[in-house]
Amino acid sequence: MADTHSNNNHVPVLFSFSVFSRPSSVPVGSGYEVLIQKFLSIYGYQIDVHRKLVLQYFSEEWGQYIDLPKGFVISEKCRLRLVPLQMDIATLGNLSPATTVFFCCDMQERFRPAIKYFGDIISVGQRLLQGARILGIPVVVSEQYPKGLGSTVQEMDLTGAKLVFPKTKFSMVLPEVEAALAEIPGVRSVVLFGVETHVCIQQTALDLIGRGFEVHIVADATSSRSMMDRMFALERLARTGIIITTSESVLLQLVADKEHPKFKEIQNIIKASAPESGLLSKV
């Protein structure tokens, strides 16, 4: 339960961010820096510190939230909210190993005969997992109802994965995943791949951007039973600001420089081009 009690030195404050609101308290006289740190302590990884943020308080006079005036300090019970501004276009799409996590979604044995070009996306998924191990990037792996659909295919080496978990919900964004993300300091970007594009991949991506993450879907490592479903899902997701990319693009963006100490290991992974399968076709 939040620390809603007050004493002579603390004032109750409602801290709101995105769709969430949590009561807490801060010392009398707390200013901007203390309040920002309080937001970070409450909401943690959900706040993208790379974005510009505006702190506002609820004005009884105006009946709405207004920007915090210069020199503002807490003197009485109030409501505050933190608003992220639009991300600077110059930073959009950048990937760094220190702020990235890989999500591998439902690459299971029972899907093998049903998913279009499943063998190809297994091959590309292997590359991504290998790259993640080389670069020290955390990997989260889901398995949809494994009791009925089986475990992740044996070709996918999950050694070192941060979390492998079963689910029945289509989205991967479950409490245990959010807890795992909270343990990764500064995570900003999620590289997402697996099946099916129009179901679990789509719902996971939408949940992630709703929580402030930048999402990169690896087009050559995701598929569906129907190529039409796949095509329209990727088009829809691209319109929401999700980045549709390829495995080679992701791996090279993560090393960024030929002088990167792991460049040669990554180069060995991509030396042979990824399969040019029917995933290139529209339908």
Side-chain angles (χ1 to χ4, degrees):
M1 184 173 179
D3 51 333
T4 55
H5 64 280
S6 62
N7 53 41
N8 291 337
N9 298 316
H10 282 70
V11 177
V13 177
L14 184 66
F15 291 85
S16 299
F17 177 77
S18 184
V19 298
F20 308 104
S21 292
R22 298 180 187 173
S24 189
S25 64
V26 295
V28 172
S30 294
Y32 180 87
E33 294 296 333
V34 172
L35 297 173
I36 288 290
Q37 289 303 314
K38 188 68 174 181
F39 270 100
L40 291 171
S41 71
I42 294 172
Y43 293 104
Y45 74 92
Q46 296 177 69
I47 298 176
D48 184 353
V49 295
H50 297 279
R51 295 192 183 191
K52 292 182 179 179
L53 302 166
V54 174
L55 187 55
Q56 299 179 323
Y57 80 102
F58 189 83
S59 167
E60 297 293 343
E61 177 183 358
W62 296 102
Q64 64 181 19
Y65 282 95
I66 63 174
D67 293 350
L68 214 64
K70 187 175 181 180
F72 176 89
V73 294
I74 294 291
S75 60
E76 59 184 0
K77 180 179 179 180
C78 65
R79 288 183 280 173
L80 300 175
R81 75 175 181 185
L82 193 63
V83 182
L85 298 182
Q86 181 64 38
M87 183 181 293
D88 186 347
I89 195 68
T91 66
L92 187 64
N94 285 338
L95 286 173
S96 164
T99 59
T100 299
V101 61
F102 281 15
F103 274 28
C104 175
C105 182
D106 304 351
M107 294 288 286
Q108 292 158 258
E109 192 59 45
R110 285 288 292 275
F111 292 127
R112 192 186 293 268
I115 300 298
K116 296 288 188 183
Y117 307 104
F118 194 67
D120 290 342
I121 66 171
I122 288 175
S123 173
V124 177
Q126 289 173 297
R127 291 172 175 235
L128 291 166
L129 293 177
Q130 188 178 352
R133 286 192 295 274
I134 290 170
L135 297 172
I137 294 171
V139 176
V140 174
V141 182
S142 68
E143 296 177 338
Q144 180 74 15
Y145 186 55
K147 182 178 179 180
L149 297 173
S151 300
T152 301
V153 296
Q154 291 185 353
E155 297 98 315
M156 305 283 283
D157 184 358
L158 303 183
T159 302
K162 181 172 182 62
L163 176 67
V164 180
F165 69 100
K167 66 182 179 69
T168 56
K169 185 179 177 182
F170 296 138
S171 173
M172 291 178 67
V173 185
L174 297 175
E176 56 264 48
V177 174
E178 296 196 75
L181 289 172
E183 296 171 357
I184 307 170
V187 65
R188 179 171 63 88
S189 305
V190 176
V191 172
L192 174 62
F193 58 98
V195 300
E196 287 184 69
T197 312
H198 66 295
V199 187
C200 297
I201 293 292
Q202 178 172 274
Q203 293 187 32
T204 299
L206 294 174
D207 281 349
L208 286 168
I209 62 168
R211 287 161 173 75
F213 292 99
E214 181 182 87
V215 180
H216 299 243
I217 294 178
V218 186
D220 53 339
T222 182
S223 188
S224 298
R225 288 169 296 159
S226 159
M227 294 298 284
M228 183 173 289
D229 283 333
R230 176 182 181 274
M231 177 184 72
F232 282 108
L234 291 177
E235 288 186 3
R236 174 193 176 185
L237 291 165
R239 286 196 296 270
T240 67
I242 290 166
I243 297 164
I244 311 300
T245 185
T246 64
S247 56
E248 184 168 324
S249 177
V250 164
L251 293 173
L252 289 177
Q253 194 169 12
L254 286 165
V255 292
D257 191 324
K258 184 181 180 298
E259 299 305 316
H260 190 287
K262 300 293 185 179
F263 172 74
K264 287 192 179 297
E265 292 178 73
I266 296 298
Q267 186 182 41
N268 287 335
I269 296 176
I270 63 173
K271 193 169 289 183
S273 296
E276 291 191 5
S277 68
L279 292 174
L280 292 170
S281 64
K282 289 269 184 176
V283 292

